[in-house]
C-alpha cells in the first residue's frame, strides 16, 4: 500500500484518517505474522470460551472464585478483540488506514478494558487472600452480592476517566504526520503525532497511570500474606503446590503491569517505535494468551470439570454414531 502523509502546515481538520504502520517494516514476514497472530487469537478465544462455559454448566464450579474467573475470561476475549482483529485485517489486506473516529473508539475501549483488567486482577487476588487466610469468614465476606458489586465495579470503574482521557487526546491537533508507528491506537504514539504543547496531556497520562501500581500493590500485598500462610502449612507437598501457583500468577502480573507501567510512565522523548511495539505485545497479546493456562488449566477443579465435559461430549458423539449406523443397517434390511 502506498502511504500518504499529511504536511506539517496542514490544518488538523484535514486529518480524516491515520495509517497504522504496525509491522510494515517486515515485508517478508507478513504471512508468518498473520499465521502467528491468527493462532494466538484462536487460542485466546477457545481457551477463555471453554472456561466461561465450564464455570456456567458445572455445579462444582459455582463458587466466587470461578465467578471472577468467568468475568476475567470474558474480559480477555474483549480485550484482545480490540486490537488483534485489526492487526489481522491490516496484514491480510495491507490496508493500514483507520479513521479518526475508529482510532478514538479503539483507544477508548482499550484503555477502559485495560483498567478493568487491573481492577479484576486485584479483586481475584483479594478473593484468594480471604479464602486462604480467613477461610472461616470467607462465606460472609465474599457472598454473592459482594461478588456482583466487585465485578460491576471492576467493569465500570474506569469508564468515566478513560472516556475523558480519550476525548482529551483527540482534541489535540495532529499536524506533524498521520502515520502511527504502532499496531494500534495507543497513547504514546498518538502524543508523538500531536503538534504544539502536549505537556498537560502527558501529565494527565502520568497522573492516570500512577493509579495502575495501586492494584498491583494490593495484589502483591495479598499474595505476600498468602505466602506467609502457606509457609505455615504442615506438609511440604502443599507448600510446593501453592508456591507453584502463586509464582505463575505473579509472573503474569509482572509482565502485564511491568510492561504497561514502563510504556505509560516513560517521558515522551524516550519512546521509540520498536520498544513501544515490544511492550505493547506483552500487555495486549502475550499475557492474555497465558492467562487461561495459568489461572485455569493449572487448577485441578477446572481440569476435572473439563475432562467431565469432554467425556460427555465423546459419549454423545459415540451414541450418535452408533444410532446412525443402526439406522442405516435397518434401512438396508427393509430394502
Amino acid at each position: 500500500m502506498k502511504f500518504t502523509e499529511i504536511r506539517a502546515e496542514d490544518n488538523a481538520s484535514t486529518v480524516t484518517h491515520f495509517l497504522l504502520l504496525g509491522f510494515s517494516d517486515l515485508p517478508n514476514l507478513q504471512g508468518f505474522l498473520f499465521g502467528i497472530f491468527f493462532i494466538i487469537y484462536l487460542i485466546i478465544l477457545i481457551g477463555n470460551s471453554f472456561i466461561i462455559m465450564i464455570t456456567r454448566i458445572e455445579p462444582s464450579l459455582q463458587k466466587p472464585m470461578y465467578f471472577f474467573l468467568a468475568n476475567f475470561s470474558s474480559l480477555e476475549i474483549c480485550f484482545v478483540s480490540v486490537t488483534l482483529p485489526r492487526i489481522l485485517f491490516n496484514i491480510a489486506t495491507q490496508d493500514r488506514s483507520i479513521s479518526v473516529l475508529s482510532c478514538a473508539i479503539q483507544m477508548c475501549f482499550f484503555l477502559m478494558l485495560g483498567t478493568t483488567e487491573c481492577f479484576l486482577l486485584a479483586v481475584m487476588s483479594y478473593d484468594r487472600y480471604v479464602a486462604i487466610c480467613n477461610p472461616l469468614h470467607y462465606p460472609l465476606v465474599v457472598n454473592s452480592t459482594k461478588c456482583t458489586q466487585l465485578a460491576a465495579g471492576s467493569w465500570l470503574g474506569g469508564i468515566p476517566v478513560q472516556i475523558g482521557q480519550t476525548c482529551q487526546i483527540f482534541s489535540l491537533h495532529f499536524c506533524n504526520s498521520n502515520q502511527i508507528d504502532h499496531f494500534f491506537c495507543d497513547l504514546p504514539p498518538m502524543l508523538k503525532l500531536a503538534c504544539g504543547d502536549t505537556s498537560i496531556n502527558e501529565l494527565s497520562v502520568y497522573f492516570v497511570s500512577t493509579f495502575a501500581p495501586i492494584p498491583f500493590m494490593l495484589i502483591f500485598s495479598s499474595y505476600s500474606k498468602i505466602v506467609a500462610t502457606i509457609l505455615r502449612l504442615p506438609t511440604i507437598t502443599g507448600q510446593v503446590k501453592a508456591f507453584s501457583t502463586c509464582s505463575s500468577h505473579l509472573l503474569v502480573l509482572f509482565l502485564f503491569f511491568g510492561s504497561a507501567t514502563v510504556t505509560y510512565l516513560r517521558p515522551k522523548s524516550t519512546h521509540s517505535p520498536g520498544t513501544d511495539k515490544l511492550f505493547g505485545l506483552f500487555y495486549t497479546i502475550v499475557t492474555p494468551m497465558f492467562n487461561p493456562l495459568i489461572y485455569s488449566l493449572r487448577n485441578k477443579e477446572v481440569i476435572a470439570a473439563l475432562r467431565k465435559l469432554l467425556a460427555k461430549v465423546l459419549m454423545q458423539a459415540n451414541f450418535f454414531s452408533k444410532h446412525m449406523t443402526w439406522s442405516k443397517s435397518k434401512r438396508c434390511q427393509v430394502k
Side-chain angles (χ1 to χ4, degrees):
M1 173 187 171
K2 183 180 179 181
F3 295 147
T4 57
E5 187 171 359
I6 64 172
R7 300 189 304 276
E9 64 270 16
D10 284 343
N11 187 277
S13 62
T14 62
V15 182
T16 58
H17 68 280
F18 293 105
L19 295 171
L20 287 169
L21 300 185
F23 304 97
S24 58
D25 55 339
L26 302 170
N28 297 327
L29 296 177
Q30 296 298 294
F32 173 76
L33 289 172
F34 181 87
I36 291 294
F37 287 133
F38 183 73
I39 291 170
I40 290 173
Y41 193 40
L42 283 181
I43 291 171
I44 294 170
L45 290 179
I46 294 171
N48 286 290
S49 296
F50 263 119
I51 293 166
I52 295 167
M53 181 172 61
I54 289 171
T55 54
R56 282 185 174 275
I57 65 176
E58 180 57 41
S60 64
L61 300 184
Q62 305 300 312
K63 302 174 184 177
M65 173 184 175
Y66 299 107
F67 170 77
F68 292 128
L69 191 57
N71 272 268
F72 189 67
S73 294
S74 302
L75 171 66
E76 292 296 61
I77 291 174
C78 296
F79 188 60
V80 297
S81 295
V82 172
T83 56
L84 260 178
R86 186 79 206 190
I87 295 171
L88 292 171
F89 174 81
N90 289 349
I91 294 175
T93 63
Q94 292 299 300
D95 178 8
R96 304 183 186 279
S97 176
I98 182 171
S99 69
V100 173
L101 179 61
S102 297
C103 192
I105 291 172
Q106 185 186 53
M107 177 187 286
C108 187
F109 274 96
F110 174 78
L111 294 175
M112 288 191 300
L113 294 172
T115 304
T116 300
E117 181 150 352
C118 293
F119 290 155
L120 202 51
L121 285 170
V123 167
M124 291 170 70
S125 68
Y126 172 73
D127 170 73
R128 290 299 83 207
Y129 159 72
V130 177
I132 294 172
C133 301
N134 297 291
L136 296 178
H137 294 91
Y138 184 71
L140 296 174
V141 176
V142 191
N143 53 49
S144 59
T145 303
K146 183 60 69 67
C147 287
T148 304
Q149 290 172 345
L150 289 171
S154 298
W155 281 96
L156 303 175
I159 290 178
V161 175
Q162 299 303 355
I163 288 177
Q165 181 145 280
T166 303
C167 292
Q168 187 182 48
I169 293 296
F170 280 86
S171 66
L172 294 169
H173 296 289
F174 300 102
C175 57
N176 293 326
S177 171
N178 67 339
Q179 296 188 7
I180 304 173
D181 200 354
H182 209 339
F183 53 85
F184 71 102
C185 296
D186 202 3
L187 287 170
M190 295 304 297
L191 283 173
K192 268 193 168 185
L193 295 185
C195 56
D197 184 16
T198 60
S199 56
I200 299 297
N201 302 91
E202 290 181 59
L203 186 62
S204 173
V205 173
Y206 296 149
F207 179 74
V208 174
S209 299
T210 52
F211 286 98
I214 295 176
F216 178 77
M217 293 307 297
L218 292 173
I219 294 165
F220 191 77
S221 174
S222 297
Y223 275 110
S224 298
K225 292 178 180 179
I226 289 170
V227 169
T229 303
I230 290 169
L231 289 173
R232 295 195 290 269
L233 290 175
T235 62
I236 298 295
T237 305
Q239 291 180 358
V240 170
K241 174 189 170 185
F243 272 123
S244 174
T245 304
C246 288
S247 62
S248 300
H249 291 185
L250 288 173
L251 175 60
V252 171
L253 292 170
F254 273 113
L255 283 174
F256 177 76
F257 282 101
S259 56
T261 301
V262 170
T263 297
Y264 295 114
L265 291 182
R266 282 185 301 153
K268 178 182 172 182
S269 57
T270 63
H271 283 272
S272 67
T275 307
D276 287 345
K277 289 177 190 177
L278 179 62
F279 283 124
L281 285 173
F282 271 108
Y283 62 79
T284 60
I285 297 173
V286 175
T287 52
M289 181 177 65
F290 285 115
N291 279 338
L293 299 174
I294 290 174
Y295 281 95
S296 308
L297 299 182
R298 294 189 57 164
N299 183 301
K300 284 189 175 181
E301 287 183 311
V302 174
I303 292 173
L306 181 60
R307 286 176 177 169
K308 186 177 176 182
L309 176 64
L310 291 174
K312 285 182 180 179
V313 171
L314 289 174
M315 285 178 62
Q316 289 178 355
N318 189 37
F319 173 79
F320 181 75
S321 177
K322 287 181 178 179
H323 179 72
M324 291 297 293
T325 304
W326 180 83
S327 298
K328 287 181 180 178
S329 61
K330 197 73 175 175
R331 283 198 299 269
C332 291
Q333 290 176 6
V334 171
K335 290 179 180 179

